[in-house]
Amino acid sequence: MNAGILGVGKYTPERILTNFDLEKMMDTSDEWIKTRTGIEERRIARDDEYTHDMAYEAAKEAIENAGLTPEDIDLIIVATVTQEANFPSVGNIIQDRLGAKHAAAMDLEAACSGFTYGIVTGAQFIQTGAYKHVVVVGADKLSKITDWDDRSTAVLFGDGAGAVVMGPVSEDKGLLSFVLGSDGSGGKYLNLKEENDKLYMNGREVFRFAVRKMGDASLEVLEKAGLQKEDLDLLIPHQANIRIMEASRERLGLPEEKMIKTVQKYGNTSASSIALALVDAVQEGRVKDGDNLLLVGFGGGLTWGALVIRFGK
Ligand code: UT7
């Protein structure tokens, strides 16, 4: 059984925080942020708006978009690092709110690579025939763990959620290949500081790792799928930094119009980053039936994940 995407949904908070707003909050500039990262603005959730609220909205839209009801869902996987509590999981909370009575639910932590890990995990249940419909959500409220006194990280992140419903698709569609990886020795470069529960990052080290891994994983996953670079229709990379994204695009020899870019409007939204980029691309009509999509991400852990999926049922 091949596992593909049946529907998509997203949620982004209303409040927009621009680079000019940040200039008033800390010693930074629109010019620095734009040239170093490509980010122009990001969405910030309300204090009373949690990761599970955003995940719920995205999942609800994805289920409707797939033409299904919550009772059709067998499993909910939420990739996140910003759950309000270790348990119940975000998955449990939204399972109840959706009324997905027959669904198992769990969270998955692989930081910014979480959505790729989630898709691959969900696909296993469908490919084996164990489950028919799996909701995979990438949701994070990074503003909650952002150290607003550290300008080198505070300007990078935003909040949001994206979701897909996965299910059985025809023989020539769905997940074609994947690569997942971990290098725990790099955990020291990107983590949650114990003393204040805020995010710490060594930007230069993560940058170097990201450029290498995004390129390597992309080429590996393409080869595993038995495809050539020119067979790719869209590259959907983790939206952390336009310079890292451009390096991946160049390794794949793709023209600019074949890369989805949302970093300018959402910033780095962690587990929801690739999900939001995919959902935007679908909703804007940029993804056609039969298109070969390459999703690739990296993040805390350190982790990475890449996959090729042929869109359509
Ligand atoms: O999903 C998680 C993955 N994380 C990432 O993708 C992050 C990967 N790393 C990066 O994207 C980049 O390393 C950053 C955007 C974080 C930083 O860019 P950079 O080109 O590596 O800059 P840098 O850290 O080498 O800093 C250059 C200068 C420094 O000043 P000096 O020492 O040269 O005088 C910083 O103090 O820029 C300064 N700086 C800033 N200036 C204005 C650092 N942050 C800011 C800021 N505004 N917000």
Side-chain angles (χ1 to χ4, degrees), residues 5 8-10 79 110-119 136-140 160-164 214 235-240 245 260-263 266-282 293-299 303-307 309:
I5 294 170
V8 300
K10 71 172 181 195
C112 305
S113 312
F115 187 67
T116 56
Y117 269 67
I119 295 255
V136 180
V137 187
D140 264 316
V164 295
M214 296 264 283
L235 169 65
I236 308 183
H238 174 37
Q239 309 281 317
M245 294 160 57
I260 299 298
K261 182 174 154 274
T262 58
V263 68
Y266 300 139
N268 178 350
T269 55
S270 187
S272 67
S273 148
I274 297 175
L276 276 178
L278 169 68
V279 177
D280 265 14
V282 172
L293 315 181
L294 194 158
L295 279 52
V296 57
F298 67 94
T303 53
W304 61 94
L307 59 94
I309 194 161

Side-chain angles (χ1 to χ4, degrees), residues 26-29 32-33 36-37 111-113 150-157 190 199 201-208 210 238-244 268-270 298-300:
M26 61 189 75
D27 179 17
T28 190
S29 66
W32 190 96
I33 302 170
R36 298 282 174 137
T37 71
C112 305
S113 312
D150 174 7
R151 68 173 182 169
S152 72
T153 55
V155 301
L156 304 175
F157 300 106
L190 180 51
L199 184 146
M201 180 169 70
N202 178 328
R204 281 183 202 179
E205 287 295 341
V206 176
F207 192 97
R208 262 197 288 273
H238 174 37
Q239 309 281 317
N241 183 318
I242 190 66
R243 289 148 60 208
I244 299 171
N268 178 350
T269 55
S270 187
F298 67 94

Side-chain angles (χ1 to χ4, degrees), residues 15-279:
R15 183 178 163 212
I16 295 174
L17 185 71
T18 67
N19 291 350
F20 298 104
D21 295 329
L22 285 169
E23 283 181 355
K24 293 178 202 132
M25 295 163 60
M26 61 189 75
D27 179 17
T28 190
S29 66
D30 172 59
E31 167 70 14
W32 190 96
I33 302 170
K34 247 188 344 216
T35 52
R36 298 282 174 137
T37 71
I39 301 166
E40 293 168 28
E41 57 186 44
R42 68 287 289 140
R43 302 298 180 103
I44 302 291
R46 297 187 312 269
D47 287 347
D48 64 350
E49 195 171 39
Y50 300 107
T51 298
H52 53 82
D53 295 314
M54 300 191 290
Y56 164 74
E57 296 294 343
K60 185 165 163 274
E61 187 176 284
I63 294 167
E64 280 164 15
N65 180 248
L68 297 171
T69 69
E71 298 202 3
D72 297 321
I73 305 304
D74 302 302
L75 173 65
I76 297 170
I77 300 172
V78 181
T80 186
V81 290
T82 51
Q83 46 281 81
E84 276 308 295
N86 288 343
F87 60 93
S89 70
V90 174
N92 295 136
I93 295 169
I94 70 170
Q95 176 266 325
D96 177 50
R97 266 175 81 179
L98 288 164
K101 286 186 200 146
H102 311 299
M106 62 177 167
D107 288 357
L108 181 160
E109 272 197 20
C112 305
S113 312
F115 187 67
T116 56
Y117 269 67
I119 295 255
V120 172
T121 305
Q124 308 307 308
F125 290 93
I126 296 161
Q127 287 166 350
T128 56
Y131 288 144
K132 196 165 176 204
H133 297 126
V134 179
V135 171
V136 180
V137 187
D140 264 316
K141 183 179 175 179
L142 261 269
S143 61
K144 188 178 84 148
I145 57 165
T146 296
D147 182 350
W148 293 101
D149 295 327
D150 174 7
R151 68 173 182 169
S152 72
T153 55
V155 301
L156 304 175
F157 300 106
D159 303 332
V164 295
V165 178
M166 299 188 70
V169 292
S170 57
E171 228 175 84
D172 58 337
K173 303 274 173 66
L175 185 66
L176 303 185
S177 65
F178 69 86
V179 174
L180 301 177
S182 157
D183 177 3
S185 73
K188 56 181 178 285
Y189 299 131
L190 180 51
N191 51 54
L192 205 61
K193 282 183 283 184
E194 256 179 51
E195 65 267 26
N196 61 359
D197 274 346
K198 297 293 178 199
L199 184 146
Y200 162 80
M201 180 169 70
N202 178 328
R204 281 183 202 179
E205 287 295 341
V206 176
F207 192 97
R208 262 197 288 273
F209 159 80
V211 168
R212 182 165 43 86
K213 272 298 166 201
M214 296 264 283
D216 290 351
S218 297
L219 292 175
E220 193 182 338
V221 87
L222 199 61
E223 194 186 331
K224 274 189 163 181
L227 298 180
Q228 305 296 319
K229 290 173 178 175
E230 45 286 359
D231 298 326
L232 271 185
D233 295 292
L234 279 180
L235 169 65
I236 308 183
H238 174 37
Q239 309 281 317
N241 183 318
I242 190 66
R243 289 148 60 208
I244 299 171
M245 294 160 57
E246 285 295 345
S248 307
R249 182 175 72 74
E250 279 161 23
R251 284 268 312 265
L252 287 164
L254 296 177
E256 256 178 58
E257 64 273 14
K258 285 197 175 181
M259 181 172 78
I260 299 298
K261 182 174 154 274
T262 58
V263 68
Q264 71 286 358
K265 57 177 175 174
Y266 300 139
N268 178 350
T269 55
S270 187
S272 67
S273 148
I274 297 175
L276 276 178
L278 169 68
V279 177

